[in-house]
Amino acid sequence: MDILERNLELRERQRLEGHTDRVWSLAWNPAAGVSGIPAMLASCSGDKTVRIWQQDPSGSWDCLAVLEDTHTRTVRSCAWSPSGKLLATASFDAATAVWEHIGGDFECVATLEGHENEVKSVSWNASGSLLATCSRDKTVWIWEVQPGNEFECVSVLQGHTQDVKMVQWHPFLDVLVSVSYDNSVKIWAEDGDSDDWHCVQTLNEASSGHTSTVWAVSFSSNGDRMVTCSDDLTLKIWDTSSNPSETSDSNCGSWRHLCTISGYHDRTIFSVNWSREGVIASGAADDAIRLFLESKDNSVDAPSYKLLSKKEKAHDMDVNSVQWNPKEPGVLASASDDGTIKIWELLEVPR
Amino acid sequence: MTLGLINANPVVHAKKERVARAEDSHADDAVDALDVFDSVRDIRDPEHPYSLEQLSVLSEESIAVDEKLGRIQITFTPTVQYCSMATVIGLCLRVKLMQCFPPHFKVDINVTPGSHVDEEAVNKQLNDKERVAAALENPNLRQLVDECLYSSELYSL
């Protein structure tokens, strides 16, 4: 039976409380939840702290640590390095902190300064050799990770005309995507010869892009598609596999609009995340979580995406972040303005 | 003394009845445009010692409430087309509504169409939750907002 025909629902497994202000973002530790290592999650909040949560053998979640007294304003975003040993946290205090995880302890080993004002997002590349940050100062910074937890800024990317909301590295190429309040999506890559970073493509309204602030982006697991979400109430799917004549160098500049998912949201969509199994989750300002999947409808030429499931009132307030557990299929975490994090499981229920 | 006690009960009883009737027609947590207007009408303009109502920046008619959906929409008219304080007024409205109404209410704040040269830009900022949160963490801006909300120095017209 086609998965879209099945009656799938998100069931709440657990609610994590502890933050004393809205939870903006969360991130699953990519090295945990496998080989006997308990699953681990980081969350960051308007209460200026970062909380680390760990699953115990019975499956229930406890707060392992509270990272405080470092950021002096809202912590907006957090991201684990691919090895799971480092956690980067981006804050409205204009700094990005890097924490090292040793045993059950977390120590702040570096503070990256330079942005003129609020840092909105941070992302590690696939190999863990580069870190990207972005800010309301309209720039994207690329930092090189050096021995001894040293970080050197190797490029300050200008181009966006407004606040940059999120940055995300491609799952295996050193290609960076940024999304902005200026309604555009920009792709950045290194120039083969000069090692200079530059913008290889801009996806704006003229390229069938968004007509209001773009809040987030997520790549499909094989990296040839990405999904963006916006204040314009749509999700847009972008594809890069349609130009087989292009070499892999210029492939990163050949993203094209594939389809727009509209009519399902009536308030700003803050977060979007694409699972390894191909399910797209969205978190929005109407307190709901929606799941979408590509429809294998052979009668239509262009690919289309259908609503797989909707969880209304997933939280009591806006859903700010949705993230699939990379190690356990069907498990989703969500963060909200209501100060809580919820762990969900996608289950089939009888009609 | 017995008479006093007997008299006291009907008074208390009557009061209760009135309160109950009031609750029937206007439940504790029911919110209407007048409730919202009452909460914001006396906010002081950032630049002049007059309230937003006195300056006709807003009125009860510029507020719409959808109780079922949990939505509040406010439209306000800055005093001049190029008013640099439009975003501050918008912030004041947001903070006041956050303080007065349950957190599940979604609030949309816009300037009256045609009332400001940077209408689109102002509206976009006022309805970007992240920008609002960051602005309210700015101590100078927060102080200005607090002065507008808590100041009792209003000249009566």
Side-chain angles (χ1 to χ4, degrees), chain A residues 97-341:
Chain A
V98 180
W99 308 77
E100 191 166 9
H101 172 209
I102 310 169
D105 282 320
F106 287 82
E107 192 193 313
C108 179
V109 295
T111 307
L112 279 42
E113 286 170 341
H115 278 297
E116 282 171 24
N117 47 48
E118 300 91 60
V119 190
K120 304 285 175 97
S121 174
V122 62
S123 177
W124 299 83
N125 72 343
S127 63
S129 62
L130 299 170
L131 197 59
T133 56
C134 66
S135 161
R136 178 169 65 86
D137 68 10
K138 308 171 195 160
T139 65
V140 172
W141 288 46
I142 298 190
W143 309 78
E144 222 168 59
V145 184
Q146 279 155 6
N149 291 323
E150 293 289 316
F151 291 79
E152 189 194 325
C153 174
V154 295
S155 196
V156 174
L157 306 175
Q158 296 180 315
H160 279 297
T161 56
Q162 293 276 2
D163 182 8
V164 190
K165 298 297 197 187
M166 185 183 188
V167 280
Q168 188 70 215
W169 288 96
H170 185 277
F172 48 87
L173 298 171
D174 279 347
V175 168
L176 183 68
V177 179
S178 61
V179 301
S180 167
Y181 184 99
D182 69 12
N183 308 348
S184 78
V185 175
K186 281 182 181 286
I187 323 292
W188 311 85
E190 228 171 339
D191 193 351
D193 307 324
S194 61
D195 290 340
D196 259 339
W197 288 86
H198 61 290
C199 179
V200 296
Q201 198 178 4
T202 299
L203 304 170
N204 53 20
E205 215 174 317
S207 5
S208 302
H210 290 290
T211 54
S212 190
T213 300
V214 190
W215 280 95
V217 59
S218 177
F219 283 94
S220 63
S221 58
N222 68 3
D224 64 5
R225 285 194 187 170
M226 62 180 179
V227 57
T228 51
C229 65
S230 167
D231 178 64
D232 70 7
L233 315 181
T234 71
L235 299 177
K236 285 182 183 280
I237 313 289
W238 308 86
D239 185 278
T240 192
S241 57
S242 62
N243 298 351
S245 57
E246 306 250 13
T247 64
S248 57
D249 277 342
S250 52
N251 239 0
C252 50
S254 63
W255 292 90
R256 67 167 184 108
H257 172 259
L258 193 65
C259 85
T260 295
I261 301 173
S262 60
Y264 294 99
H265 298 83
D266 65 352
R267 289 195 76 83
T268 305
I269 311 162
F270 288 118
S271 176
V272 70
N273 191 242
W274 213 324
S275 79
R276 300 193 69 82
E277 299 72 42
V279 183
I280 295 171
S282 74
D286 64 354
D287 315 343
I289 297 172
R290 291 169 177 79
L291 305 181
F292 299 89
L293 196 59
E294 189 175 359
S295 160
K296 306 283 185 207
D297 186 350
N298 295 324
S299 66
V300 182
D301 283 330
S304 72
Y305 286 76
K306 298 265 155 65
L307 182 74
L308 177 67
S309 185
K310 177 182 178 186
K311 188 76 195 174
E312 285 184 14
K313 288 269 142 242
H315 282 273
D316 296 331
M317 292 171 73
D318 293 7
V319 181
N320 295 321
S321 182
V322 284
Q323 294 288 313
W324 291 102
N325 182 334
K327 297 293 184 290
E328 205 183 338
V331 175
L332 183 77
S334 62
S336 167
D337 275 357
D338 66 13
T340 72
I341 295 147

Side-chain angles (χ1 to χ4, degrees), chain B residues 36 38-43 90-101 142 145 148-150:
Chain B
V36 177
D38 278 341
S39 72
V40 297
R41 67 202 300 175
D42 293 325
I43 293 174
L91 276 181
C92 290
L93 291 171
R94 275 214 184 269
V95 174
K96 198 69 212 269
L97 293 180
M98 269 193 278
Q99 290 173 349
C100 296
F101 298 100
R142 190 70 208 229
V145 167
C148 297
L149 296 185
Y150 304 118

Side-chain angles (χ1 to χ4, degrees), chain A residues 22 73-74 76 120 163 165 181 183 213 267 270 285 287 318 320 337, chain B residues 71 103-104 106-108 121 124-125 128-131 133-134 137-138:
Chain A
R22 64 180 13 136
R73 286 181 57 178
T74 285
R76 178 63 181 88
K120 304 285 175 97
D163 182 8
K165 298 297 197 187
Y181 184 99
N183 308 348
T213 300
R267 289 195 76 83
F270 288 118
D287 315 343
D318 293 7
N320 295 321
D337 275 357
Chain B
R71 306 261 196 272
H104 71 270
K106 308 289 183 191
V107 178
D108 292 315
K124 194 171 186 179
Q125 266 191 77
D128 180 316
K129 171 174 91 169
E130 188 185 61
R131 292 291 282 263
E137 283 185 358
N138 174 325

Side-chain angles (χ1 to χ4, degrees), chain B residues 31-41 58-66 71-76 93 97 108:
Chain B
V31 172
D32 62 18
L34 183 57
D35 289 324
V36 177
F37 184 57
D38 278 341
S39 72
V40 297
R41 67 202 300 175
L58 34 80
S59 66
E60 193 187 332
E61 290 67 47
S62 63
I63 297 170
V65 178
D66 185 328
R71 306 261 196 272
I72 297 173
Q73 269 182 297
I74 299 192
T75 304
F76 71 95
L93 291 171
L97 293 180
D108 292 315

Side-chain angles (χ1 to χ4, degrees), chain B residues 68-95:
Chain B
K68 271 210 188 77
L69 281 179
R71 306 261 196 272
I72 297 173
Q73 269 182 297
I74 299 192
T75 304
F76 71 95
T77 310
T79 48
V80 282
Q81 283 274 340
Y82 49 84
C83 177
S84 59
M85 289 285 145
T87 47
V88 176
I89 294 172
L91 276 181
C92 290
L93 291 171
R94 275 214 184 269
V95 174

Side-chain angles (χ1 to χ4, degrees), chain B residues 118-153:
Chain B
D118 288 324
E119 182 176 328
E120 257 186 63
V122 171
N123 287 341
K124 194 171 186 179
Q125 266 191 77
L126 289 179
N127 294 293
D128 180 316
K129 171 174 91 169
E130 188 185 61
R131 292 291 282 263
V132 169
L136 293 174
E137 283 185 358
N138 174 325
N140 297 328
L141 204 41
R142 190 70 208 229
Q143 196 187 350
L144 181 53
V145 167
D146 288 346
E147 277 168 16
C148 297
L149 296 185
Y150 304 118
S151 173
S152 49
E153 295 159 19

